[in-house]
Amino acid sequence: MNKLVNKVAVVTGASKGIGAAIATSLAAEGAAVVVNYASSKAGADAVVNAIVAAGGKAVAIKADVSKAVEAQALIDAAIEHYGRLDVLVNNAGIYEFAPLGGITEEHYHKQFNINVLGLLLITQAATKHMSDGGSIINIGSLIARRMPANSAVYAGTKGALNAITGVLAQELGPRNIRVNALNPGVVETEGAHAADLVDSAFGARAAAESPLGRIGQPGDIASVAVFLASSDSYWMTGEQLYASGGRR
Ligand code: NAP
């Protein structure tokens, strides 16, 4: 209950799904948490209210991570509210699938802008304030390793995320800022339902492929994020971890 006391965390895309679970779990360990959202104010407010009701600290801040001005404003708001920044979870992301012939400029730019450019913009703004070291957790995907058909752009964004994780671990290590990638397998979230990854042949196959016999839940990822955020993982940086129920 106290691994992150006196720490401040920003979790992007925390209005629902994996981000909401990570924000809640970081707060349960004592961190003050900035719950970022793009459009779902009600979802972000519900996450904040649950954290506060449990005795934690949190605030909801709207920002589209793919816009430099908004990314900067999100980090400015975090500093204004809590005065420091120790943990950044780059979770905001979208996933859309298309075969090669179906890839359009829009399909490409939308996913790369949020999943890759957004990560870079937020990290650039956040690391200016990580004066006392820190932990950055980039939420990738098992898809970058399994590379299934029809995922060229989305898998490309997550492959880039894993590569960027290694590069930034090199650049930020001398400042004692650790950077690690946490790659989930299929997790039951609103986004996964909308993409038909859960109640579908795909979801059933994913569950069957796991030695543990099911797909993931957001809390399965949040507990690993707490580990990466805390000093329990102090000697780990530049790593690509997989939380996929053994499907790697
Ligand atoms: P989700 O249920 O669709 O939720 C996405 C979150 O990202 C929402 O909070 C959304 O905010 C936010 N978001 C979207 N665009 C944004 C933007 N431009 N700026 C700021 N926030 C933005 O997604 P999820 O399934 O929890 O996935 C979360 C992360 O895990 C993603 O990076 C995804 O690629 C990765 N992942 C998911 C799975 C899975 O099976 N679920 C597997 C592997 C990896 P609003 O609601 O306000 O729009």
Side-chain angles (χ1 to χ4, degrees), residues 92-131:
I94 57 167
Y95 32 96
E96 292 179 358
F97 301 92
L100 179 62
I103 293 172
T104 61
E105 287 179 66
E106 194 206 352
H107 174 82
Y108 175 90
H109 287 299
K110 198 168 152 196
Q111 295 187 82
F112 266 89
N113 281 357
I114 296 173
N115 298 4
V116 181
L117 178 61
L119 177 153
L120 290 169
L121 292 173
I122 292 282
T123 305
Q124 194 178 52
T127 49
K128 287 180 200 152
H129 296 280
M130 289 181 159
S131 49

PDB file of all heavy atoms in Angstrom, residues 92-131:
ATOM      1  N   ALA A  92      -1.985   5.902 -23.531  1.00  0.00           N
ATOM      2  CA  ALA A  92      -2.971   6.320 -24.544  1.00  0.00           C
ATOM      3  C   ALA A  92      -2.619   5.671 -25.876  1.00  0.00           C
ATOM      4  O   ALA A  92      -1.477   5.759 -26.341  1.00  0.00           O
ATOM      5  CB  ALA A  92      -2.976   7.839 -24.680  1.00  0.00           C
ATOM      6  N   GLY A  93      -3.589   5.029 -26.462  1.00  0.00           N
ATOM      7  CA  GLY A  93      -3.315   4.367 -27.734  1.00  0.00           C
ATOM      8  C   GLY A  93      -4.599   3.926 -28.390  1.00  0.00           C
ATOM      9  O   GLY A  93      -5.625   3.732 -27.727  1.00  0.00           O
ATOM     10  N   ILE A  94      -4.520   3.787 -29.698  1.00  0.00           N
ATOM     11  CA  ILE A  94      -5.672   3.278 -30.434  1.00  0.00           C
ATOM     12  C   ILE A  94      -5.214   2.122 -31.312  1.00  0.00           C
ATOM     13  O   ILE A  94      -4.033   2.022 -31.656  1.00  0.00           O
ATOM     14  CB  ILE A  94      -6.343   4.373 -31.287  1.00  0.00           C
ATOM     15  CG1 ILE A  94      -5.343   4.997 -32.266  1.00  0.00           C
ATOM     16  CG2 ILE A  94      -6.968   5.437 -30.411  1.00  0.00           C
ATOM     17  CD1 ILE A  94      -6.007   5.838 -33.330  1.00  0.00           C
ATOM     18  N   TYR A  95      -6.160   1.264 -31.650  1.00  0.00           N
ATOM     19  CA  TYR A  95      -5.821   0.129 -32.524  1.00  0.00           C
ATOM     20  C   TYR A  95      -6.916  -0.069 -33.547  1.00  0.00           C
ATOM     21  O   TYR A  95      -8.085  -0.147 -33.234  1.00  0.00           O
ATOM     22  CB  TYR A  95      -5.575  -1.151 -31.723  1.00  0.00           C
ATOM     23  CG  TYR A  95      -6.358  -1.324 -30.445  1.00  0.00           C
ATOM     24  CD1 TYR A  95      -7.537  -2.058 -30.413  1.00  0.00           C
ATOM     25  CD2 TYR A  95      -5.901  -0.759 -29.258  1.00  0.00           C
ATOM     26  CE1 TYR A  95      -8.241  -2.233 -29.225  1.00  0.00           C
ATOM     27  CE2 TYR A  95      -6.598  -0.919 -28.070  1.00  0.00           C
ATOM     28  CZ  TYR A  95      -7.773  -1.654 -28.067  1.00  0.00           C
ATOM     29  OH  TYR A  95      -8.465  -1.803 -26.888  1.00  0.00           O
ATOM     30  N   GLU A  96      -6.457  -0.123 -34.803  1.00  0.00           N
ATOM     31  CA  GLU A  96      -7.342  -0.385 -35.937  1.00  0.00           C
ATOM     32  C   GLU A  96      -6.619  -1.375 -36.840  1.00  0.00           C
ATOM     33  O   GLU A  96      -5.395  -1.318 -36.965  1.00  0.00           O
ATOM     34  CB  GLU A  96      -7.606   0.898 -36.715  1.00  0.00           C
ATOM     35  CG  GLU A  96      -8.438   1.916 -35.956  1.00  0.00           C
ATOM     36  CD  GLU A  96      -8.661   3.198 -36.735  1.00  0.00           C
ATOM     37  OE1 GLU A  96      -8.147   3.345 -37.860  1.00  0.00           O
ATOM     38  OE2 GLU A  96      -9.343   4.075 -36.190  1.00  0.00           O
ATOM     39  N   PHE A  97      -7.393  -2.243 -37.467  1.00  0.00           N
ATOM     40  CA  PHE A  97      -6.784  -3.320 -38.248  1.00  0.00           C
ATOM     41  C   PHE A  97      -7.213  -3.212 -39.704  1.00  0.00           C
ATOM     42  O   PHE A  97      -8.349  -2.852 -40.004  1.00  0.00           O
ATOM     43  CB  PHE A  97      -7.168  -4.673 -37.643  1.00  0.00           C
ATOM     44  CG  PHE A  97      -6.720  -4.784 -36.209  1.00  0.00           C
ATOM     45  CD1 PHE A  97      -7.560  -4.417 -35.158  1.00  0.00           C
ATOM     46  CD2 PHE A  97      -5.437  -5.200 -35.909  1.00  0.00           C
ATOM     47  CE1 PHE A  97      -7.132  -4.477 -33.841  1.00  0.00           C
ATOM     48  CE2 PHE A  97      -4.992  -5.267 -34.590  1.00  0.00           C
ATOM     49  CZ  PHE A  97      -5.848  -4.901 -33.556  1.00  0.00           C
ATOM     50  N   ALA A  98      -6.287  -3.499 -40.604  1.00  0.00           N
ATOM     51  CA  ALA A  98      -6.594  -3.464 -42.036  1.00  0.00           C
ATOM     52  C   ALA A  98      -5.553  -4.289 -42.780  1.00  0.00           C
ATOM     53  O   ALA A  98      -4.371  -4.297 -42.403  1.00  0.00           O
ATOM     54  CB  ALA A  98      -6.552  -2.021 -42.551  1.00  0.00           C
ATOM     55  N   PRO A  99      -5.965  -4.974 -43.839  1.00  0.00           N
ATOM     56  CA  PRO A  99      -4.984  -5.648 -44.687  1.00  0.00           C
ATOM     57  C   PRO A  99      -4.197  -4.614 -45.474  1.00  0.00           C
ATOM     58  O   PRO A  99      -4.613  -3.440 -45.544  1.00  0.00           O
ATOM     59  CB  PRO A  99      -5.847  -6.504 -45.622  1.00  0.00           C
ATOM     60  CG  PRO A  99      -7.154  -5.780 -45.676  1.00  0.00           C
ATOM     61  CD  PRO A  99      -7.337  -5.110 -44.347  1.00  0.00           C
ATOM     62  N   LEU A 100      -3.112  -5.027 -46.071  1.00  0.00           N
ATOM     63  CA  LEU A 100      -2.240  -4.085 -46.799  1.00  0.00           C
ATOM     64  C   LEU A 100      -3.042  -3.191 -47.746  1.00  0.00           C
ATOM     65  O   LEU A 100      -2.866  -1.976 -47.763  1.00  0.00           O
ATOM     66  CB  LEU A 100      -1.185  -4.876 -47.581  1.00  0.00           C
ATOM     67  CG  LEU A 100      -0.225  -4.029 -48.416  1.00  0.00           C
ATOM     68  CD1 LEU A 100       0.586  -3.096 -47.533  1.00  0.00           C
ATOM     69  CD2 LEU A 100       0.696  -4.939 -49.231  1.00  0.00           C
ATOM     70  N   GLY A 101      -3.951  -3.815 -48.503  1.00  0.00           N
ATOM     71  CA  GLY A 101      -4.724  -3.049 -49.483  1.00  0.00           C
ATOM     72  C   GLY A 101      -5.671  -2.046 -48.865  1.00  0.00           C
ATOM     73  O   GLY A 101      -6.148  -1.134 -49.552  1.00  0.00           O
ATOM     74  N   GLY A 102      -5.961  -2.183 -47.593  1.00  0.00           N
ATOM     75  CA  GLY A 102      -6.907  -1.281 -46.928  1.00  0.00           C
ATOM     76  C   GLY A 102      -6.233  -0.148 -46.179  1.00  0.00           C
ATOM     77  O   GLY A 102      -6.906   0.689 -45.557  1.00  0.00           O
ATOM     78  N   ILE A 103      -4.904  -0.103 -46.197  1.00  0.00           N
ATOM     79  CA  ILE A 103      -4.199   0.942 -45.448  1.00  0.00           C
ATOM     80  C   ILE A 103      -4.326   2.278 -46.175  1.00  0.00           C
ATOM     81  O   ILE A 103      -4.085   2.366 -47.383  1.00  0.00           O
ATOM     82  CB  ILE A 103      -2.709   0.570 -45.262  1.00  0.00           C
ATOM     83  CG1 ILE A 103      -2.606  -0.655 -44.346  1.00  0.00           C
ATOM     84  CG2 ILE A 103      -1.913   1.744 -44.694  1.00  0.00           C
ATOM     85  CD1 ILE A 103      -1.207  -1.238 -44.252  1.00  0.00           C
ATOM     86  N   THR A 104      -4.744   3.298 -45.431  1.00  0.00           N
ATOM     87  CA  THR A 104      -4.868   4.649 -45.982  1.00  0.00           C
ATOM     88  C   THR A 104      -3.962   5.580 -45.181  1.00  0.00           C
ATOM     89  O   THR A 104      -3.491   5.225 -44.102  1.00  0.00           O
ATOM     90  CB  THR A 104      -6.314   5.167 -45.855  1.00  0.00           C
ATOM     91  OG1 THR A 104      -6.636   5.211 -44.447  1.00  0.00           O
ATOM     92  CG2 THR A 104      -7.298   4.258 -46.591  1.00  0.00           C
ATOM     93  N   GLU A 105      -3.776   6.780 -45.723  1.00  0.00           N
ATOM     94  CA  GLU A 105      -2.979   7.771 -44.988  1.00  0.00           C
ATOM     95  C   GLU A 105      -3.617   8.057 -43.630  1.00  0.00           C
ATOM     96  O   GLU A 105      -2.936   8.205 -42.623  1.00  0.00           O
ATOM     97  CB  GLU A 105      -2.888   9.069 -45.790  1.00  0.00           C
ATOM     98  CG  GLU A 105      -1.980   8.967 -46.992  1.00  0.00           C
ATOM     99  CD  GLU A 105      -1.951  10.285 -47.760  1.00  0.00           C
ATOM    100  OE1 GLU A 105      -1.454  11.277 -47.216  1.00  0.00           O
ATOM    101  OE2 GLU A 105      -2.452  10.298 -48.900  1.00  0.00           O
ATOM    102  N   GLU A 106      -4.932   8.109 -43.615  1.00  0.00           N
ATOM    103  CA  GLU A 106      -5.629   8.414 -42.359  1.00  0.00           C
ATOM    104  C   GLU A 106      -5.385   7.306 -41.326  1.00  0.00           C
ATOM    105  O   GLU A 106      -5.077   7.581 -40.167  1.00  0.00           O
ATOM    106  CB  GLU A 106      -7.125   8.581 -42.627  1.00  0.00           C
ATOM    107  CG  GLU A 106      -7.844   9.207 -41.464  1.00  0.00           C
ATOM    108  CD  GLU A 106      -9.314   8.830 -41.403  1.00  0.00           C
ATOM    109  OE1 GLU A 106      -9.822   8.212 -42.340  1.00  0.00           O
ATOM    110  OE2 GLU A 106      -9.925   9.157 -40.372  1.00  0.00           O
ATOM    111  N   HIS A 107      -5.542   6.047 -41.772  1.00  0.00           N
ATOM    112  CA  HIS A 107      -5.313   4.874 -40.909  1.00  0.00           C
ATOM    113  C   HIS A 107      -3.894   4.934 -40.335  1.00  0.00           C
ATOM    114  O   HIS A 107      -3.681   4.684 -39.141  1.00  0.00           O
ATOM    115  CB  HIS A 107      -5.512   3.618 -41.783  1.00  0.00           C
ATOM    116  CG  HIS A 107      -5.198   2.310 -41.128  1.00  0.00           C
ATOM    117  ND1 HIS A 107      -6.086   1.646 -40.302  1.00  0.00           N
ATOM    118  CD2 HIS A 107      -4.092   1.513 -41.214  1.00  0.00           C
ATOM    119  CE1 HIS A 107      -5.538   0.500 -39.904  1.00  0.00           C
ATOM    120  NE2 HIS A 107      -4.333   0.397 -40.435  1.00  0.00           N
ATOM    121  N   TYR A 108      -2.936   5.283 -41.170  1.00  0.00           N
ATOM    122  CA  TYR A 108      -1.535   5.348 -40.743  1.00  0.00           C
ATOM    123  C   TYR A 108      -1.302   6.501 -39.758  1.00  0.00           C
ATOM    124  O   TYR A 108      -0.796   6.315 -38.653  1.00  0.00           O
ATOM    125  CB  TYR A 108      -0.629   5.519 -41.977  1.00  0.00           C
ATOM    126  CG  TYR A 108       0.826   5.718 -41.619  1.00  0.00           C
ATOM    127  CD1 TYR A 108       1.675   4.629 -41.492  1.00  0.00           C
ATOM    128  CD2 TYR A 108       1.334   6.993 -41.379  1.00  0.00           C
ATOM    129  CE1 TYR A 108       3.010   4.815 -41.131  1.00  0.00           C
ATOM    130  CE2 TYR A 108       2.655   7.176 -41.015  1.00  0.00           C
ATOM    131  CZ  TYR A 108       3.496   6.090 -40.893  1.00  0.00           C
ATOM    132  OH  TYR A 108       4.789   6.272 -40.530  1.00  0.00           O
ATOM    133  N   HIS A 109      -1.685   7.720 -40.190  1.00  0.00           N
ATOM    134  CA  HIS A 109      -1.342   8.899 -39.385  1.00  0.00           C
ATOM    135  C   HIS A 109      -2.063   8.908 -38.038  1.00  0.00           C
ATOM    136  O   HIS A 109      -1.486   9.306 -37.031  1.00  0.00           O
ATOM    137  CB  HIS A 109      -1.635  10.177 -40.160  1.00  0.00           C
ATOM    138  CG  HIS A 109      -0.630  10.413 -41.260  1.00  0.00           C
ATOM    139  ND1 HIS A 109       0.719  10.572 -41.008  1.00  0.00           N
ATOM    140  CD2 HIS A 109      -0.771  10.475 -42.600  1.00  0.00           C
ATOM    141  CE1 HIS A 109       1.364  10.736 -42.156  1.00  0.00           C
ATOM    142  NE2 HIS A 109       0.494  10.677 -43.134  1.00  0.00           N
ATOM    143  N   LYS A 110      -3.321   8.464 -38.038  1.00  0.00           N
ATOM    144  CA  LYS A 110      -4.081   8.457 -36.789  1.00  0.00           C
ATOM    145  C   LYS A 110      -3.348   7.608 -35.740  1.00  0.00           C
ATOM    146  O   LYS A 110      -3.119   8.033 -34.605  1.00  0.00           O
ATOM    147  CB  LYS A 110      -5.458   7.853 -37.082  1.00  0.00           C
ATOM    148  CG  LYS A 110      -6.509   8.131 -36.064  1.00  0.00           C
ATOM    149  CD  LYS A 110      -7.861   7.718 -36.646  1.00  0.00           C
ATOM    150  CE  LYS A 110      -8.822   7.330 -35.568  1.00  0.00           C
ATOM    151  NZ  LYS A 110      -9.979   6.597 -36.074  1.00  0.00           N
ATOM    152  N   GLN A 111      -2.953   6.409 -36.134  1.00  0.00           N
ATOM    153  CA  GLN A 111      -2.334   5.500 -35.160  1.00  0.00           C
ATOM    154  C   GLN A 111      -0.904   5.920 -34.818  1.00  0.00           C
ATOM    155  O   GLN A 111      -0.518   5.913 -33.647  1.00  0.00           O
ATOM    156  CB  GLN A 111      -2.373   4.066 -35.689  1.00  0.00           C
ATOM    157  CG  GLN A 111      -3.811   3.576 -35.812  1.00  0.00           C
ATOM    158  CD  GLN A 111      -3.890   2.114 -36.176  1.00  0.00           C
ATOM    159  OE1 GLN A 111      -3.782   1.246 -35.315  1.00  0.00           O
ATOM    160  NE2 GLN A 111      -4.083   1.833 -37.447  1.00  0.00           N
ATOM    161  N   PHE A 112      -0.126   6.305 -35.820  1.00  0.00           N
ATOM    162  CA  PHE A 112       1.239   6.743 -35.502  1.00  0.00           C
ATOM    163  C   PHE A 112       1.229   8.053 -34.713  1.00  0.00           C
ATOM    164  O   PHE A 112       2.078   8.268 -33.847  1.00  0.00           O
ATOM    165  CB  PHE A 112       2.099   6.843 -36.771  1.00  0.00           C
ATOM    166  CG  PHE A 112       2.880   5.576 -37.023  1.00  0.00           C
ATOM    167  CD1 PHE A 112       2.337   4.550 -37.777  1.00  0.00           C
ATOM    168  CD2 PHE A 112       4.136   5.383 -36.457  1.00  0.00           C
ATOM    169  CE1 PHE A 112       3.041   3.360 -37.984  1.00  0.00           C
ATOM    170  CE2 PHE A 112       4.845   4.195 -36.658  1.00  0.00           C
ATOM    171  CZ  PHE A 112       4.293   3.183 -37.424  1.00  0.00           C
ATOM    172  N   ASN A 113       0.270   8.937 -35.008  1.00  0.00           N
ATOM    173  CA  ASN A 113       0.236  10.219 -34.287  1.00  0.00           C
ATOM    174  C   ASN A 113      -0.037  10.026 -32.801  1.00  0.00           C
ATOM    175  O   ASN A 113       0.578  10.678 -31.955  1.00  0.00           O
ATOM    176  CB  ASN A 113      -0.822  11.154 -34.886  1.00  0.00           C
ATOM    177  CG  ASN A 113      -0.329  11.821 -36.153  1.00  0.00           C
ATOM    178  OD1 ASN A 113       0.822  11.630 -36.551  1.00  0.00           O
ATOM    179  ND2 ASN A 113      -1.192  12.573 -36.797  1.00  0.00           N
ATOM    180  N   ILE A 114      -0.969   9.148 -32.473  1.00  0.00           N
ATOM    181  CA  ILE A 114      -1.300   8.951 -31.053  1.00  0.00           C
ATOM    182  C   ILE A 114      -0.306   7.985 -30.400  1.00  0.00           C
ATOM    183  O   ILE A 114       0.267   8.280 -29.348  1.00  0.00           O
ATOM    184  CB  ILE A 114      -2.753   8.442 -30.903  1.00  0.00           C
ATOM    185  CG1 ILE A 114      -3.725   9.514 -31.406  1.00  0.00           C
ATOM    186  CG2 ILE A 114      -3.047   8.072 -29.450  1.00  0.00           C
ATOM    187  CD1 ILE A 114      -5.174   9.086 -31.462  1.00  0.00           C
ATOM    188  N   ASN A 115      -0.082   6.849 -31.022  1.00  0.00           N
ATOM    189  CA  ASN A 115       0.700   5.787 -30.366  1.00  0.00           C
ATOM    190  C   ASN A 115       2.200   6.082 -30.317  1.00  0.00           C
ATOM    191  O   ASN A 115       2.890   5.603 -29.416  1.00  0.00           O
ATOM    192  CB  ASN A 115       0.496   4.455 -31.097  1.00  0.00           C
ATOM    193  CG  ASN A 115      -0.953   3.982 -31.073  1.00  0.00           C
ATOM    194  OD1 ASN A 115      -1.826   4.678 -30.576  1.00  0.00           O
ATOM    195  ND2 ASN A 115      -1.214   2.813 -31.629  1.00  0.00           N
ATOM    196  N   VAL A 116       2.708   6.839 -31.288  1.00  0.00           N
ATOM    197  CA  VAL A 116       4.161   7.081 -31.326  1.00  0.00           C
ATOM    198  C   VAL A 116       4.483   8.565 -31.087  1.00  0.00           C
ATOM    199  O   VAL A 116       5.199   8.898 -30.146  1.00  0.00           O
ATOM    200  CB  VAL A 116       4.761   6.607 -32.672  1.00  0.00           C
ATOM    201  CG1 VAL A 116       6.273   6.850 -32.689  1.00  0.00           C
ATOM    202  CG2 VAL A 116       4.471   5.123 -32.879  1.00  0.00           C
ATOM    203  N   LEU A 117       3.948   9.450 -31.931  1.00  0.00           N
ATOM    204  CA  LEU A 117       4.234  10.874 -31.731  1.00  0.00           C
ATOM    205  C   LEU A 117       3.753  11.340 -30.358  1.00  0.00           C
ATOM    206  O   LEU A 117       4.463  12.068 -29.652  1.00  0.00           O
ATOM    207  CB  LEU A 117       3.581  11.700 -32.846  1.00  0.00           C
ATOM    208  CG  LEU A 117       3.770  13.217 -32.740  1.00  0.00           C
ATOM    209  CD1 LEU A 117       5.241  13.608 -32.794  1.00  0.00           C
ATOM    210  CD2 LEU A 117       2.990  13.934 -33.855  1.00  0.00           C
ATOM    211  N   GLY A 118       2.563  10.879 -29.966  1.00  0.00           N
ATOM    212  CA  GLY A 118       2.024  11.276 -28.648  1.00  0.00           C
ATOM    213  C   GLY A 118       2.956  10.864 -27.526  1.00  0.00           C
ATOM    214  O   GLY A 118       3.221  11.642 -26.602  1.00  0.00           O
ATOM    215  N   LEU A 119       3.464   9.652 -27.609  1.00  0.00           N
ATOM    216  CA  LEU A 119       4.407   9.160 -26.586  1.00  0.00           C
ATOM    217  C   LEU A 119       5.638  10.067 -26.522  1.00  0.00           C
ATOM    218  O   LEU A 119       6.098  10.439 -25.442  1.00  0.00           O
ATOM    219  CB  LEU A 119       4.790   7.727 -26.939  1.00  0.00           C
ATOM    220  CG  LEU A 119       5.821   6.995 -26.081  1.00  0.00           C
ATOM    221  CD1 LEU A 119       5.581   5.497 -26.158  1.00  0.00           C
ATOM    222  CD2 LEU A 119       7.260   7.296 -26.504  1.00  0.00           C
ATOM    223  N   LEU A 120       6.155  10.427 -27.695  1.00  0.00           N
ATOM    224  CA  LEU A 120       7.368  11.265 -27.717  1.00  0.00           C
ATOM    225  C   LEU A 120       7.086  12.658 -27.153  1.00  0.00           C
ATOM    226  O   LEU A 120       7.888  13.209 -26.392  1.00  0.00           O
ATOM    227  CB  LEU A 120       7.894  11.372 -29.150  1.00  0.00           C
ATOM    228  CG  LEU A 120       8.499  10.073 -29.720  1.00  0.00           C
ATOM    229  CD1 LEU A 120       8.737  10.212 -31.222  1.00  0.00           C
ATOM    230  CD2 LEU A 120       9.792   9.710 -29.004  1.00  0.00           C
ATOM    231  N   LEU A 121       5.948  13.240 -27.540  1.00  0.00           N
ATOM    232  CA  LEU A 121       5.631  14.601 -27.088  1.00  0.00           C
ATOM    233  C   LEU A 121       5.443  14.662 -25.576  1.00  0.00           C
ATOM    234  O   LEU A 121       5.954  15.569 -24.902  1.00  0.00           O
ATOM    235  CB  LEU A 121       4.365  15.110 -27.792  1.00  0.00           C
ATOM    236  CG  LEU A 121       4.479  15.360 -29.300  1.00  0.00           C
ATOM    237  CD1 LEU A 121       3.108  15.686 -29.891  1.00  0.00           C
ATOM    238  CD2 LEU A 121       5.477  16.486 -29.582  1.00  0.00           C
ATOM    239  N   ILE A 122       4.709  13.680 -25.053  1.00  0.00           N
ATOM    240  CA  ILE A 122       4.474  13.666 -23.598  1.00  0.00           C
ATOM    241  C   ILE A 122       5.783  13.415 -22.858  1.00  0.00           C
ATOM    242  O   ILE A 122       6.077  14.049 -21.835  1.00  0.00           O
ATOM    243  CB  ILE A 122       3.453  12.555 -23.231  1.00  0.00           C
ATOM    244  CG1 ILE A 122       2.066  12.911 -23.778  1.00  0.00           C
ATOM    245  CG2 ILE A 122       3.403  12.319 -21.735  1.00  0.00           C
ATOM    246  CD1 ILE A 122       1.308  13.933 -22.986  1.00  0.00           C
ATOM    247  N   THR A 123       6.575  12.492 -23.371  1.00  0.00           N
ATOM    248  CA  THR A 123       7.832  12.157 -22.693  1.00  0.00           C
ATOM    249  C   THR A 123       8.783  13.346 -22.714  1.00  0.00           C
ATOM    250  O   THR A 123       9.478  13.630 -21.726  1.00  0.00           O
ATOM    251  CB  THR A 123       8.466  10.916 -23.345  1.00  0.00           C
ATOM    252  OG1 THR A 123       7.509   9.855 -23.334  1.00  0.00           O
ATOM    253  CG2 THR A 123       9.713  10.469 -22.610  1.00  0.00           C
ATOM    254  N   GLN A 124       8.812  14.043 -23.844  1.00  0.00           N
ATOM    255  CA  GLN A 124       9.654  15.242 -23.964  1.00  0.00           C
ATOM    256  C   GLN A 124       9.268  16.282 -22.901  1.00  0.00           C
ATOM    257  O   GLN A 124      10.120  16.822 -22.198  1.00  0.00           O
ATOM    258  CB  GLN A 124       9.417  15.827 -25.353  1.00  0.00           C
ATOM    259  CG  GLN A 124      10.398  16.860 -25.822  1.00  0.00           C
ATOM    260  CD  GLN A 124      10.027  17.291 -27.236  1.00  0.00           C
ATOM    261  OE1 GLN A 124       8.884  17.662 -27.491  1.00  0.00           O
ATOM    262  NE2 GLN A 124      10.979  17.242 -28.142  1.00  0.00           N
ATOM    263  N   ALA A 125       7.970  16.512 -22.777  1.00  0.00           N
ATOM    264  CA  ALA A 125       7.506  17.509 -21.797  1.00  0.00           C
ATOM    265  C   ALA A 125       7.744  17.015 -20.374  1.00  0.00           C
ATOM    266  O   ALA A 125       8.194  17.778 -19.506  1.00  0.00           O
ATOM    267  CB  ALA A 125       6.024  17.801 -22.028  1.00  0.00           C
ATOM    268  N   ALA A 126       7.468  15.740 -20.122  1.00  0.00           N
ATOM    269  CA  ALA A 126       7.535  15.213 -18.756  1.00  0.00           C
ATOM    270  C   ALA A 126       8.962  15.160 -18.225  1.00  0.00           C
ATOM    271  O   ALA A 126       9.211  15.465 -17.054  1.00  0.00           O
ATOM    272  CB  ALA A 126       6.922  13.810 -18.724  1.00  0.00           C
ATOM    273  N   THR A 127       9.897  14.772 -19.074  1.00  0.00           N
ATOM    274  CA  THR A 127      11.253  14.554 -18.561  1.00  0.00           C
ATOM    275  C   THR A 127      11.938  15.863 -18.167  1.00  0.00           C
ATOM    276  O   THR A 127      12.896  15.831 -17.405  1.00  0.00           O
ATOM    277  CB  THR A 127      12.115  13.782 -19.592  1.00  0.00           C
ATOM    278  OG1 THR A 127      11.981  14.392 -20.875  1.00  0.00           O
ATOM    279  CG2 THR A 127      11.677  12.337 -19.677  1.00  0.00           C
ATOM    280  N   LYS A 128      11.408  16.976 -18.639  1.00  0.00           N
ATOM    281  CA  LYS A 128      11.974  18.269 -18.178  1.00  0.00           C
ATOM    282  C   LYS A 128      11.790  18.420 -16.670  1.00  0.00           C
ATOM    283  O   LYS A 128      12.507  19.171 -16.022  1.00  0.00           O
ATOM    284  CB  LYS A 128      11.258  19.423 -18.882  1.00  0.00           C
ATOM    285  CG  LYS A 128      11.618  19.579 -20.349  1.00  0.00           C
ATOM    286  CD  LYS A 128      10.863  20.751 -20.962  1.00  0.00           C
ATOM    287  CE  LYS A 128      10.820  20.629 -22.472  1.00  0.00           C
ATOM    288  NZ  LYS A 128       9.641  21.260 -23.073  1.00  0.00           N
ATOM    289  N   HIS A 129      10.771  17.730 -16.135  1.00  0.00           N
ATOM    290  CA  HIS A 129      10.436  17.899 -14.713  1.00  0.00           C
ATOM    291  C   HIS A 129      10.880  16.726 -13.848  1.00  0.00           C
ATOM    292  O   HIS A 129      10.680  16.756 -12.641  1.00  0.00           O
ATOM    293  CB  HIS A 129       8.925  18.096 -14.568  1.00  0.00           C
ATOM    294  CG  HIS A 129       8.433  19.340 -15.222  1.00  0.00           C
ATOM    295  ND1 HIS A 129       8.542  20.582 -14.645  1.00  0.00           N
ATOM    296  CD2 HIS A 129       7.868  19.537 -16.436  1.00  0.00           C
ATOM    297  CE1 HIS A 129       8.048  21.493 -15.461  1.00  0.00           C
ATOM    298  NE2 HIS A 129       7.629  20.889 -16.561  1.00  0.00           N
ATOM    299  N   MET A 130      11.479  15.704 -14.445  1.00  0.00           N
ATOM    300  CA  MET A 130      11.894  14.545 -13.635  1.00  0.00           C
ATOM    301  C   MET A 130      13.307  14.802 -13.115  1.00  0.00           C
ATOM    302  O   MET A 130      14.268  14.145 -13.514  1.00  0.00           O
ATOM    303  CB  MET A 130      11.822  13.264 -14.475  1.00  0.00           C
ATOM    304  CG  MET A 130      10.398  12.828 -14.760  1.00  0.00           C
ATOM    305  SD  MET A 130      10.360  11.291 -15.718  1.00  0.00           S
ATOM    306  CE  MET A 130       8.705  10.706 -15.371  1.00  0.00           C
ATOM    307  N   SER A 131      13.389  15.741 -12.189  1.00  0.00           N
ATOM    308  CA  SER A 131      14.709  16.182 -11.725  1.00  0.00           C
ATOM    309  C   SER A 131      15.308  15.210 -10.719  1.00  0.00           C
ATOM    310  O   SER A 131      16.501  15.252 -10.440  1.00  0.00           O
ATOM    311  CB  SER A 131      14.590  17.575 -11.121  1.00  0.00           C
ATOM    312  OG  SER A 131      13.527  17.592 -10.216  1.00  0.00           O
TER     313      SER A 131
END
